[in-house]
Amino acid sequence: MQVIDWDLAVATGTRLVRPGPQVSREEARRAVADLRQLSRVAEGHVREFTRIDTETAPVAATVVDRPGWIKANVEGFRVVLEPLTQRMAARKEQTPAIVTAVGSRITGVEVGAVLAFLASRVLGQYELFLPPDPSGRQPAGRLTLVAPNIVHAEQELDVNPRDFRLWVCLHEETHRVQFTGVPWLREYVRSQMTEFLLASDMDLSTLLDRLRSAADAVADAVRGGEGNLIDAIQTPEQKEILDRLTAVMTLVEGHGDYVMDAVGPSVVPTVADIRAKFQHRREGGSRLDRTVRKLLGVDLKMKQYAEGSTFVRTVVEQVGMDDFNKVWTSPETLPTQDEISDPARWIARVVGSKALPGANSTAPAPEKPEEPEEGPAA
């Protein structure tokens, strides 16, 4: 059973996506070569700075165009949604075939349209979920950089191209180091996503309620409110799972932002100029662009960068990189959303109260008062 017509999603996305910036063949070739080489350079800087050991050998990033990014993400979606597809297939006798066929095509068009919107904005990503290779092994992941978007951003921002490319690579390579150096992290994220999908309600009345909530979210976002589709369509159980997913993704995204800016000054001479201009770009866009970003949860991702980076910076400043890296010990040492907002709570729970500022005071302890000697009984 096919929940989404994936071929139609790819066809729709590649048809709707805007073309990249106009550059010569030589400029395009040079950009691709630069990104591959700089991704290797960035990985060395990231490993040294983060002190996260990874046994995987350095590999150059995969560099794609916008249609290539769409195809790669569709493959990832298919892997992630496989548990839900299997569940729906088990219930196929409950759903008329015509409804399934029409629904999959409509959803395929919707997915393609969303990917077309994102494909012109994403600079790069670490693809966690890939189909098995021909040998049947499950790949660990792949770092992908979208060359047209990186070139477009550096032109739009008027920044040094090599510095900007290395700066982007630092962020994305941090994700590769996270997921290859922390063996359990990829499976944890995958299992949480599977739980999230399988926690959805399947009865018609609940589905209609979700659709009404989604419609309200669209109306609210258009009016400039805080509505988004992610919050609108989830069940209470999904909300709990999404809180855990949001916390871990806020950590990994914030860690990436922290590393790119912390390493930047020593290897990217114009990092301050790049960060200032890039932050302004993140917050900009037309009214329609901002509305779509809000509906798709893109603004949530922007918020994750800021909150996660603040959490990482605060913890590293207070307890050092080695104690911060205790965050990668197990799922139990990951911060909750509340702890991301209050890093001292995570430090107290995971690192221990002795790591808190002021806990290691060198001031002498007050002397214990001498007890009076016992005199003779009266």
Side-chain angles (χ1 to χ4, degrees):
M1 177 181 181
Q2 187 166 247
V3 179
I4 298 173
D5 188 329
W6 297 111
D7 292 337
L8 183 58
V10 171
T12 301
T14 54
R15 186 179 72 251
L16 294 179
V17 71
R18 292 181 293 180
Q22 295 300 309
V23 297
S24 69
R25 185 181 297 273
E26 174 58 26
E27 287 174 312
R29 186 200 64 77
R30 190 164 57 247
V32 170
D34 273 357
L35 289 170
R36 286 177 178 155
Q37 187 262 332
L38 291 172
S39 68
R40 295 286 299 273
V41 172
E43 185 174 23
H45 291 310
V46 169
R47 288 193 194 203
E48 181 181 1
F49 179 78
T50 63
R51 303 178 197 169
I52 297 176
D53 293 327
T54 171
E55 296 180 357
T56 58
V59 179
T62 299
V63 183
V64 298
D65 59 10
R66 290 171 177 177
W69 182 85
I70 290 172
K71 292 173 186 174
N73 275 265
V74 164
E75 289 300 317
F77 283 166
R78 295 180 76 154
V79 172
V80 170
L81 292 174
E82 184 178 8
L84 182 60
T85 301
Q86 292 172 344
R87 178 175 176 176
M88 302 256 321
R91 300 187 175 195
K92 62 183 178 181
E93 71 282 352
Q94 302 176 14
T95 308
I98 184 65
V99 173
T100 302
V102 172
S104 70
R105 290 188 61 80
I106 292 173
T107 310
V109 170
E110 292 170 338
V111 169
V114 168
L115 289 174
F117 174 82
L118 296 174
S120 62
R121 289 159 175 78
V122 173
L123 301 182
Q125 68 185 51
Y126 184 69
E127 297 174 58
L128 274 180
F129 306 107
L130 299 171
D133 64 23
S135 71
R137 290 191 311 110
Q138 193 72 262
R142 178 177 63 208
L143 179 63
T144 301
L145 300 171
V146 190
N149 295 352
I150 293 174
V151 171
H152 175 70
E154 67 196 28
Q155 291 177 347
E156 185 179 60
L157 298 175
D158 189 26
V159 293
N160 180 285
R162 187 187 186 283
D163 282 4
F164 184 73
R165 293 168 190 179
L166 178 55
W167 188 69
V168 170
C169 286
L170 288 170
H171 181 102
E172 303 307 334
E173 284 290 351
T174 302
H175 293 327
R176 171 148 56 184
V177 169
Q178 290 163 346
F179 285 99
T180 57
V182 183
W184 55 267
L185 187 58
R186 178 181 180 275
E187 177 56 26
Y188 174 77
V189 173
R190 188 205 62 77
S191 65
Q192 293 298 304
M193 293 182 74
T194 298
E195 282 189 48
F196 179 81
L197 291 169
L198 296 184
S200 58
D201 291 321
M202 305 296 284
D203 60 279
L204 183 59
S205 62
T206 304
L207 177 61
L208 290 174
D209 286 341
R210 297 281 177 267
L211 291 174
R212 292 190 193 99
S213 297
D216 290 343
V218 171
D220 185 50
V222 170
R223 290 193 299 267
E226 295 299 317
N228 71 73
L229 293 177
I230 294 175
D231 287 340
I233 63 176
Q234 60 189 278
T235 67
E237 185 180 353
Q238 284 176 309
K239 174 70 167 63
E240 184 178 331
I241 299 168
L242 189 63
D243 284 347
R244 292 196 294 270
L245 268 173
T246 300
V248 69
M249 297 314 295
T250 299
L251 171 68
V252 300
E253 293 291 5
H255 188 231
D257 249 29
Y258 169 78
V259 171
M260 75 192 297
D261 285 342
V263 175
S266 62
V267 297
V268 182
T270 59
V271 66
D273 179 55
I274 290 173
R275 166 54 74 185
K277 291 179 176 178
F278 190 73
Q279 192 63 34
H280 181 72
R281 180 180 185 265
R282 273 182 176 174
E283 297 165 355
S286 66
R287 173 68 181 274
L288 175 62
D289 186 73
R290 292 195 300 271
T291 299
V292 174
R293 284 189 344 224
K294 186 183 295 293
L295 283 172
L296 297 180
V298 177
D299 280 358
L300 173 63
K301 191 176 180 70
M302 299 300 104
K303 185 179 179 183
Q304 286 176 340
Y305 287 130
E307 290 184 347
S309 181
T310 299
F311 171 82
V312 176
R313 183 174 61 254
T314 302
V315 173
V316 172
E317 287 175 352
Q318 293 189 9
V319 301
M321 184 64 75
D322 289 337
D323 275 337
F324 165 77
N325 279 340
K326 291 178 180 177
V327 78
W328 311 116
T329 304
S330 72
E332 288 69 37
T333 59
L334 292 171
T336 64
Q337 283 189 283
D338 288 341
E339 288 172 339
I340 284 175
S341 301
D342 186 2
R345 292 175 60 181
W346 179 86
I347 293 173
R349 179 174 69 86
V350 175
V351 180
S353 59
K354 290 183 179 180
L356 289 168
N360 294 325
S361 173
T362 57
E367 293 184 4
K368 185 177 180 181
E370 294 183 3
E371 294 185 7
E373 294 181 4
E374 289 188 6

